[in-house]
Amino acid sequence: MLRLWLLLSGLLPSLSLAATPNNQLKPFTYNDTTFFFDGKPMQILGGQMDPHRVPREAWRDRIKMARAMGLNTLFAYIYWDQLEPEEGKFDFSGNNDLSEYFKIAQEEGLYGGLRLGPYICGEHEWGGYPYWLNNKEGLEVRTNDQQLADATKKFFQRVYDEVEDQLASNGGNIFLVQVENEYGSYGNDMDYKKSLRDMALEVGFDVPLYTTDGTNEDMIVGGNIPNVLAEVDGHNGDENSARLKYLPDQSTNGPFMNAEYYTTWIDHWDANGEHQFNNKTGIEKVQGDLSRLLNDGGSFSLYMFHGGTNWGFQSGSNWDSSLNYQPTTTSYDYGAPLDESGRPTDLYHGIRQVLIDYLKNSNTMENDVPEVPDTADMLDTGKIQVKACSKLLDNLGSAVKRNTKPLNMEAVGQGYGYINYRKKADKNYSGQLTVGDKPRDRVLVYVNGERKGLLDARFGEQKAINLDLKKDDHLDLLVENLGRVNFAEAIVDQVKGIVGDVKVGDTTIQNWDIFSLDFKDTDNYIRNCEIDSDTSDFSDMDKFSPTFFTGSFNIEDPQDTFLAYDGWTKGVVWVNGHNLGRYWKIGPQQQLYLPKAFLKKGENKITALELVETSSNEFEGVSKRSWYNNPDPEA
């Protein structure tokens, strides 16, 4: 018989669910084998696309593409760090307008799945946790810590307030809400898991809650929450049998949904890491997997349907004991059916054909799949000339803090970007440089503006940097947060900047000027361009100092383009004030996605910060992107 989710209130009498007017209720219910919406059987044909990774102006176009592929449900992570960038200061404007996002999906004929978290992974900075949690003494993420619980409850409440009208119980389209994410890969703290379930119910969510985990026994048992629908993810074909075999609690049973069917996998910045995508054989495997799943009565969500872009400094990093630190690329193309620019791929058309064929023979599912919308041609801009404008270390501005010891990034109220530590030597120092407990994540070392070396979390062993400082020399330690780890046990310690003492030889260096460089605004660095036009030393890493470059280009008809950075090594690009994200010649990403929404007719301004070296003075918008790798000049 049907198991109505609202009966959960009877199982948990201490909780008070918000009453839902019966005349507006469109319940999403299920028994052990079948989902129902408004009492009609359904299979979830879902795909993931996160609002934060797609320009708001492109939401509707991309959502139309999902419907035209044959999907009926749009799943989305929501990023706590974007919604509450500073404690108590919420922002639901722009790309954070969750209600509008799901409203558009509903208007285009799609149900919605809200992946609430608070932890979401997603190769996003710290798995979605906001940086300011690091300033709460003793707090440990993904635990039943009271400070974390208090902050999470406030976050859940504000999200509920925003999306309340879009819940299926109120006539909207959000019929599923996920708590946590793949927790069984991390732990098995029942108090923590239950607390998330209870918080979601207490703030008012009155649609089914669910979890998703990997397919081995520890993962399924560890992620399982009583009275919460348990689903699994993967792409090996044995997901449902594993789920049924290892479920520890029948109150979590229900119809099978592969909650993350992986279309491909993640790209990391890596000179030896190839771009992940499906060739013809891979596409055929996906088609076969989905056909079997559907014919067995299963449901799915493609991870990803459309990956989008890790704008600015939003990309996270992965970590494991053998591969060390693996920063994620700016592009979250993911080899998905819809590419980073929103254009359909061969995989898109392959999946679409599977869904059309299946829906034609379905007695219970609507089969009116729209035609695939046309997309505009990508833009070729021609060469975009830039000129050197100012050296970063000569234009640091005022120190945000002077302190005896270096302070970590969070302690000065900064979450992302770069932070510089400067010491004017009060005497002579000589010996090997030690920077805190470890690189967090890249430490570029300069003496009087001249590069002396690099410490990098990607490298298992660090090359020794020996210094011979004279009185009045300036030592600069430019530290980059490459993205807090979003997966595995290293997630518990994601403080950035410098943690611990800086030593030269056996001597601890004290009294530092600390400069916050979050680059939310670059105007102060490019207002007065003072560098001579001679850039002959810019291709010599040892002589190069981080430098801002500026330029402009004209466009008659703005369209999407890919910004190629051939000849540049590592840095960040802004166009018309929009931070496109990091570039890095090692690849596999070799262009930055520049959407039409960031461009304007007429003059457009470009700013770049190069950190290592460059043999170029130009960028170029190209209509066709390429993926390849280059040797790492800093390895």
Side-chain angles (χ1 to χ4, degrees):
M1 60 185 296
L2 297 186
R3 177 167 13 139
L4 293 176
W5 191 259
L6 294 180
L7 289 178
L8 185 57
S9 59
L11 296 170
L12 299 169
S14 63
L15 301 179
S16 176
L17 294 182
T20 303
N22 289 333
N23 66 342
Q24 295 182 24
L25 184 63
K26 293 187 177 181
F28 178 70
T29 58
Y30 58 89
N31 58 24
D32 284 351
T33 60
T34 308
F35 292 115
F36 300 86
F37 199 91
D38 280 339
K40 298 178 181 178
M42 71 171 291
Q43 286 172 276
I44 297 171
L45 313 181
Q48 174 117 357
M49 183 177 90
D50 304 335
H52 313 281
R53 283 183 166 132
V54 179
R56 178 179 176 136
E57 295 86 346
W59 282 354
R60 189 175 295 274
D61 288 343
R62 310 289 165 87
I63 289 170
K64 284 178 180 289
M65 282 291 189
R67 184 70 192 92
M69 197 174 79
L71 301 184
N72 63 16
T73 304
L74 184 69
F75 286 85
Y77 283 140
I78 59 171
Y79 304 162
W80 185 0
D81 64 315
Q82 299 298 300
L83 298 172
E84 192 180 5
E86 301 293 339
E87 185 172 12
K89 297 179 180 179
F90 287 89
D91 178 9
F92 288 91
S93 64
N95 275 38
N96 297 334
D97 191 344
L98 305 180
S99 179
E100 181 66 14
Y101 184 71
F102 283 104
K103 181 180 178 183
I104 292 172
Q106 184 175 21
E107 291 170 352
E108 298 299 333
L110 295 173
Y111 299 110
L114 178 70
R115 307 187 73 180
L116 179 63
Y119 167 79
I120 52 93
C121 187
E123 291 68 60
H124 181 76
E125 235 274 348
W126 209 13
Y129 284 120
Y131 86 90
W132 47 262
L133 289 175
N134 276 315
N135 288 329
K136 294 184 178 294
E137 186 175 357
L139 183 149
E140 185 174 332
V141 296
R142 303 190 85 180
T143 70
N144 203 33
D145 178 275
Q146 189 59 51
Q147 295 180 95
L148 178 62
D150 291 344
T152 299
K153 181 75 173 290
K154 293 175 183 176
F155 168 60
F156 279 12
Q157 185 65 65
R158 285 292 286 111
V159 172
Y160 173 80
D161 292 343
E162 290 295 319
V163 303
E164 179 182 5
D165 290 344
Q166 281 304 127
L167 296 176
S169 52
N170 295 324
N173 62 333
I174 299 173
F175 61 19
L176 276 172
V177 172
Q178 181 185 331
V179 290
E180 244 282 348
N181 188 49
E182 297 177 332
Y183 179 68
S185 299
Y186 184 80
N188 188 6
D189 182 340
M190 186 59 77
D191 290 338
Y192 168 64
K193 294 186 292 183
K194 285 182 177 179
S195 73
L196 294 178
R197 175 199 66 191
D198 294 352
M199 283 183 212
L201 295 171
E202 287 168 358
V203 303
F205 285 106
D206 55 0
V207 297
L209 305 179
Y210 78 103
T211 60
T212 186
D213 285 283
T215 55
N216 72 37
E217 183 175 7
D218 288 344
M219 292 175 180
I220 291 173
V221 172
N224 196 264
I225 308 175
N227 307 312
V228 173
L229 176 64
E231 299 292 4
V232 291
D233 49 46
H235 60 177
N236 295 322
D238 61 349
E239 288 80 17
N240 193 33
S241 59
R243 182 182 72 99
L244 294 173
K245 180 178 179 180
Y246 297 127
L247 272 184
D249 184 340
Q250 284 304 302
S251 74
T252 67
N253 192 19
F256 169 57
M257 176 175 67
N258 188 328
E260 287 187 5
Y261 177 86
Y262 301 117
T263 53
T264 44
W265 201 240
I266 311 153
D267 286 342
H268 295 114
W269 292 116
D270 185 345
N272 299 308
E274 295 182 354
H275 172 56
Q276 303 295 301
F277 72 101
N278 277 300
N279 56 20
K280 184 176 184 293
T281 301
I283 293 171
E284 290 173 351
K285 178 187 182 302
V286 172
Q287 289 178 305
D289 288 348
L290 294 180
S291 291
R292 284 187 295 273
L293 185 154
L294 290 169
N295 287 322
D296 288 342
S299 295
F300 66 82
S301 175
L302 302 174
Y303 192 92
M304 301 289 291
F305 159 69
H306 175 52
T309 307
N310 293 311
W311 307 111
F313 303 125
Q314 292 186 29
S315 57
S317 298
N318 285 306
W319 178 92
D320 69 36
S321 56
S322 60
L323 297 174
N324 300 309
Y325 181 83
Q326 304 167 284
T328 301
T329 55
T330 297
S331 171
Y332 203 62
D333 179 88
Y334 211 87
L338 208 64
D339 74 11
E340 185 181 5
S341 73
R343 282 146 178 90
T345 65
D346 290 344
L347 179 60
Y348 178 99
H349 293 293
I351 294 174
R352 182 173 188 267
Q353 191 58 57
V354 168
L355 298 182
I356 287 175
D357 290 345
Y358 179 74
L359 292 171
K360 281 181 181 178
N361 299 314
S362 172
N363 296 322
T364 60
M365 304 278 286
E366 295 183 4
N367 58 14
D368 55 335
V369 177
E371 293 298 316
V372 179
D374 292 332
T375 56
D377 291 339
M378 300 281 288
L379 177 67
D380 288 299
T381 66
K383 304 294 185 182
I384 301 171
Q385 300 293 319
V386 295
K387 66 175 183 178
C389 182
S390 68
K391 293 185 177 181
L392 173 62
L393 297 180
D394 293 340
N395 291 274
L396 292 173
S398 301
V400 295
K401 190 79 173 180
R402 291 184 174 179
N403 206 63
T404 302
K405 293 186 175 184
L407 296 173
N408 58 277
M409 183 179 282
E410 296 83 353
V412 299
Q414 181 185 345
Y416 316 101
Y418 305 79
I419 186 168
N420 193 79
Y421 301 85
R422 172 168 287 177
K423 168 67 179 179
K424 182 177 180 180
D426 54 337
K427 62 179 183 180
N428 295 344
Y429 296 89
S430 183
Q432 183 174 330
L433 175 68
T434 304
V435 179
D437 58 350
K438 60 183 178 181
R440 295 172 178 254
D441 300 308
R442 276 173 55 93
V443 185
L444 284 164
V445 181
Y446 302 89
V447 175
N448 300 328
E450 182 177 336
R451 177 169 168 152
K452 297 298 181 182
L454 167 71
L455 303 172
D456 192 318
R458 296 175 302 138
F459 305 147
E461 295 184 11
Q462 304 297 325
K463 185 176 180 180
I465 301 174
N466 294 297
L467 299 180
D468 185 16
L469 296 176
K470 304 301 182 185
K471 187 176 183 299
D472 295 330
D473 280 350
H474 283 93
L475 171 64
D476 282 290
L477 305 176
L478 179 60
V479 183
E480 178 181 2
N481 169 9
L482 270 175
R484 291 179 178 83
V485 168
N486 52 258
F487 186 77
E489 58 267 32
I491 197 172
V492 299
D493 179 16
Q494 288 306 302
V495 174
K496 296 301 178 182
I498 295 177
V499 176
D501 291 328
V502 175
K503 294 183 178 182
V504 175
D506 295 326
T507 304
T508 299
I509 309 296
Q510 297 185 328
N511 301 320
W512 293 87
D513 289 333
I514 304 171
F515 300 85
S516 175
L517 305 170
D518 59 15
F519 297 134
K520 293 178 181 177
D521 185 347
T522 59
D523 286 351
N524 289 336
Y525 304 97
I526 61 174
R527 184 168 288 117
N528 298 305
C529 293
E530 300 171 346
I531 294 180
D532 187 271
S533 59
D534 179 12
T535 59
S536 57
D537 287 342
F538 280 14
S539 59
D540 185 338
M541 183 192 307
D542 293 332
K543 296 180 180 179
F544 186 83
S545 180
T547 300
F548 280 96
F549 295 78
T550 60
S552 63
F553 57 103
N554 288 293
I555 291 178
E556 182 63 28
D557 180 22
Q559 297 295 340
D560 292 348
T561 189
F562 293 111
L563 192 70
Y565 45 84
D566 299 352
W568 301 82
T569 302
K570 187 184 190 311
V572 186
V573 173
W574 295 259
V575 172
N576 295 329
H578 297 280
N579 187 335
L580 303 187
R582 302 177 178 91
Y583 65 85
W584 206 341
K585 72 179 293 182
I586 60 176
Q589 181 178 353
Q590 296 296 339
Q591 298 88 24
L592 291 168
Y593 173 50
L594 174 53
K596 170 184 177 180
F598 293 178
L599 295 169
K600 54 189 178 182
K601 183 176 181 178
E603 185 182 46
N604 294 264
K605 295 183 178 180
I606 183 170
T607 300
L609 171 62
E610 170 61 46
L611 297 166
V612 179
E613 63 182 6
T614 179
S615 59
S616 178
N617 64 349
E618 61 190 24
F619 292 89
E620 183 178 7
V622 297
S623 57
K624 185 175 177 59
R625 86 177 317 166
S626 52
W627 305 89
Y628 58 90
N629 300 90
N630 290 304
D632 188 344
E634 299 177 295

